Amino acid sequence: MRIIVGIKWVPNTQAVRFDPETGTLIRRGVPSIVNPHDLPAIELALRLRDSAGGEVIAISMAPPPAVKGLELALGMGVDLAILVTDRVYAGADTLATSYVLSHTIRKIEREYGSVDLVIFGQETIDSSTAHIPAQVASWLEWPYIYYVREARILDNKVVRVVRELEEYIEEYELETPAVLGVAMRSLKPRHVSLSNKIRARFEKKLIIWSNNDLKLDTRCVGLKGSPTIVAKTIDMPEVPRRKEVYKPRDARDAARWIISRMLEDEKLRELLQRTLWGVKS
Amino acid sequence: MRVLIAMVRDRFDIVIVGAGPAGCTAAYLLAKAGFSVLLVDRGRGAGSKLLWGGKAYAQPLRDIWPELDREAPIHRWVSRDRFSFVWGDRVLTLEYKLGRKVAFTVYLPELVSWMARKAESVGATFIDEVVIDEIIVRDGVVYGVRSGNDIIRANVVVDAEGINRMLLEKLGLASKPNPYSLSLGVKEVLSLDSKLIEERFNLDKGEGLAWLVAGDITKGIPGGGFIYTMRDSISIGLVLSIGHAADMAEKGLLKEHVSSLVESFRLHPYFRVYWREADIIEYGGRMAIEGGLSYMPKKLYTNGLLVVGDAAGLLVNTGYTIRGVDTAVTSARLAAETIVEAHNKGGFTEDNLRAYEEKIKRSYIYKELVEHRGIEDVFRDQFFFTKFPALATRIGAKLFESDYEEPSMLRALLDSAREEDISILRIIYKLGRVARKL
Amino acid sequence: MSQQSRLKQLKLEELLQRDVWDVDEDRHIEVLNQEGLPIKALIILCPMGCYSMAGDKLLMSYEGCVECGTCRVLSSPDKIRWSYPRSGRGIQYRYT
Ligand SMILES: Cc1cc2nc3c(=O)[nH]c(=O)nc-3n(C[C@H](O)[C@H](O)[C@H](O)COP(=O)(O)OP(=O)(O)OC[C@H]3O[C@@H](n4cnc5c(N)ncnc54)[C@H](O)[C@@H]3O)c2cc1C
Ligand code: SF4
């Protein structure tokens, strides 16, 4: 089994602060972290390897500081980490990123042997598009399942995955190679271990590929290969909450009270009418 | 499947726990001396868990890195030292202009990252994000360290874990910390343009100011305040005796949260003019040793173990200044020397490592610690952080705030002492006591 | 930029917004038994306000902890379980 897990190095959005004084976002000194939704993906990859044998390779397309994130993955027990980094990759949208990642996976197949599974976190905290796993699957022309909560290797070529949607649970059996998007918070990630970290350091398990290695057409990568245009970004100011305490007789009374309070608000009234009762205003 | 060559490194000559100033120094010197060295810290990157005041004494660091002045991430060389007594809105300030580069200001996480890179550059292996859970001793000899299920063996473990001595306590070498021998530092970093800093504090480019403050800013808790100018920010904070503050809180004598004491200090009319438009960019807390020999463990060495820095209680806290970084660095240097000598003598036995404690006792650190022994008591004395600032500022008020008369210095002193109900003899006695201790 | 508005006392919650944590899922500090703890001292001295009362129960929210050890010093292992967050998580000081 050879499993690839994709990692994104993202600014810790919790640390970005709005300065009401100057009306700008303060990004100075905001440290980056491994996208929290990637941690269950790493955990799933490691569990599959631990049960079926094989190796897990973490990949990330990012500027050099992202080695800290790959070191965390190595500390968790990933066998090899590849940072794909090049100036020409800068400014990439999801299309250009997925293009580079899919070629990274192809190169891994050429250098290390065939890949069975590619696992991603469902989305990232800094952009939340959830595009990457689906796009990588399309470039590779491999099947893709998202919102995965569990997976099990049945035999060498078949995995059974469980995905949980809002109202029901689905189970799939699919042939590898395949791409999985792992649901947020589905698995508790393991901690970094000292021996994994030392081993990664001494066995030089962190390698760096640039476009000299991947040899991609520079028109398809980075800013040039990115058709997405960000038209405008708007900061949503936090809406102050109005707290009220109401002691209802029962659930029905509580619901009635909440709805009556919402109907008092002009904006909410319109929203309620449209969504709940399908009334166009 | 690719076969991985199992080359698990589970043994080092030296394992150092904690990449603070002490641990990084030991790692640098020992790796340079040719040992295989593993330096472990629980933070993400060296220094990410550290908070301090802001001023480091340079010479003890230059002894190890002569390139310090050129290479280290120094913010400003301290050219002015100030001391203020505060009582309400009244303030008395003394200033001293230094003649040479004795100390500099720096963010501790930056300084420590620099030290860790130095250690790596001479071959030490630095591993972050890992907590060491235990120093393992077998048959009376240190065997290695444990983190979770991993055991790494070592011939010598250097304990540089800092003030929170979880590992030494587990080994029985340190007892449960006494809240009266510890203080809590609460701090804010205020961002301010470097030109404004230089204008307002009367500094030339690259020069810095260190400012210590005593008085009712601590609301009667033994302790004081500090202000340090950084490159384009200012560090301000309070250091408060934990034991005393806890007693006061429990008795209902202290009702405000410590963060609000720091905020009042930031907004104090005398001080706030220096940073009125500054934004707070960081807030936090960390403990410091109150001073003297009270935090020193019974022994600084056993078979295969040496204790350095804050963990060894080697911090000089004179009440007007905290020196923990240079003393940590120096103790680590002495530990490294001892390890090299013990190696040459044939082993890291307790007998061969005993020299470390002797070196410490001969060093400037110990002299400072002994000389300042009891200084905590002096500064904890109500007189010094309440009566004295009150008296000093009252004298000031008499001298400078009279509308008609021009009182003499002596008159102002005598009247103030009477009004504050302090006898002149007591003042002389107390001052003499401090003079002897300092 | 108005200077006056910088010169107002900030609430602890506003101060906490200045800091960065990578919060661990595992709780590293836990009140085991509040009997005999110096509760007022913990509430006032924890610089990050991690301790608070809910009715007569002492609550500890570990998310904003800076791992300073003050509450450890003011308690004992049978009353407060105290450890460090793992994997480098917890407070990430940048300037200090
Ligand atoms: C408010 C305040 C103001 C101060 N001001 C000054 C000043 O202006 N000038 C000055 O010289 N000194 C000052 N000090 C003191 C100075 O910061 C310390 O004395 C100094 O940092 C001690 O260095 P150290 O290497 O011994 O320990 P530390 O700096 O505490 O380093 C210990 C390291 O060990 C790590 N660690 C601990 N346990 C483990 C474990 N089990 N596993 C893995 N890693 C672990 C920690 O993360 C930490 O990085 C101040 C202290 C405070 C609190
Ligand atoms: S360790 Fe410090 S910051 Fe954390 S809860 Fe205890 S007192 Fe608060």
Side-chain angles (χ1 to χ4, degrees), chain B residues 17-23 40-43 49-56 108 130-132 160-163 167 185 226 228 239 286-288 308-311 315 322-326 328, chain C residues 84:
Chain B
V17 186
V40 187
D41 199 277
R42 64 188 188 83
K49 303 293 183 185
L50 298 181
L51 173 150
W52 74 330
K55 173 174 143 184
L108 193 53
V130 172
V131 178
I132 299 297
E161 65 181 315
I163 197 162
L167 301 176
F226 59 81
Y228 295 103
V239 180
R286 184 166 160 245
M287 292 194 303
V308 295
D310 270 7
L315 175 139
I322 297 184
R323 291 181 72 160
V325 165
D326 64 292
Chain C
Y84 291 121

Side-chain angles (χ1 to χ4, degrees), chain A residues 12 14 21 29 188 191-192, chain C residues 2 5 18 21 26 87 94:
Chain A
N12 186 345
Q14 169 255 322
E21 209 66 28
K188 188 173 179 306
H191 280 297
V192 162
Chain C
S2 76
S5 43
R18 269 64 182 175
W21 287 266
D26 296 332
S87 300
R94 297 155 297 159

Side-chain angles (χ1 to χ4, degrees), chain B residues 42 44 48-50 52 107 133 164 169 176 250 254 256-257 263 266 277 280-283 285, chain C residues 6 8 10 18-19 22 38 40-41 44 46-47 67 72 75 86-87 89 91 93-96:
Chain B
R42 64 188 188 83
R44 185 163 294 160
S48 65
K49 303 293 183 185
L50 298 181
W52 74 330
Y107 290 144
D133 296 303
N164 237 333
E169 284 175 33
K176 187 188 172 295
E250 286 296 300
L254 174 70
E256 263 178 277
H257 187 260
E263 275 292 274
R266 177 174 72 90
E277 59 281 86
I280 302 172
I281 53 173
E282 197 156 52
Y283 166 80
Chain C
R6 293 265 197 236
K8 67 167 201 280
L10 293 191
R18 269 64 182 175
D19 293 335
D22 180 2
K40 287 194 201 123
I44 285 180
C46 166
E67 305 140 37
R72 189 176 90 90
S75 67
R86 303 189 85 89
S87 300
R89 301 222 166 81
I91 184 68
Y93 279 135
R94 297 155 297 159
Y95 311 119
T96 62

Side-chain angles (χ1 to χ4, degrees), chain B residues 100-120:
Chain B
R100 59 189 185 93
K101 289 181 168 182
V102 177
F104 57 90
T105 64
V106 63
Y107 290 144
L108 193 53
E110 285 181 5
L111 179 67
V112 165
S113 299
W114 178 78
M115 291 177 175
R117 281 199 302 279
K118 281 278 161 193
E120 283 186 294

Side-chain angles (χ1 to χ4, degrees), chain A residues 50 63 84 105-106 131 153 173 175 185 188 197 199 227 262 270 273-274:
Chain A
D50 293 346
V84 186
I105 295 164
R106 289 290 184 216
H131 289 172
I153 312 280
E173 263 174 32
E175 279 188 17
R185 284 183 275 279
K188 188 173 179 306
K197 276 221 156 189
R199 179 146 38 95
M262 288 168 84
E270 194 195 321
Q273 284 170 343
R274 247 188 306 127

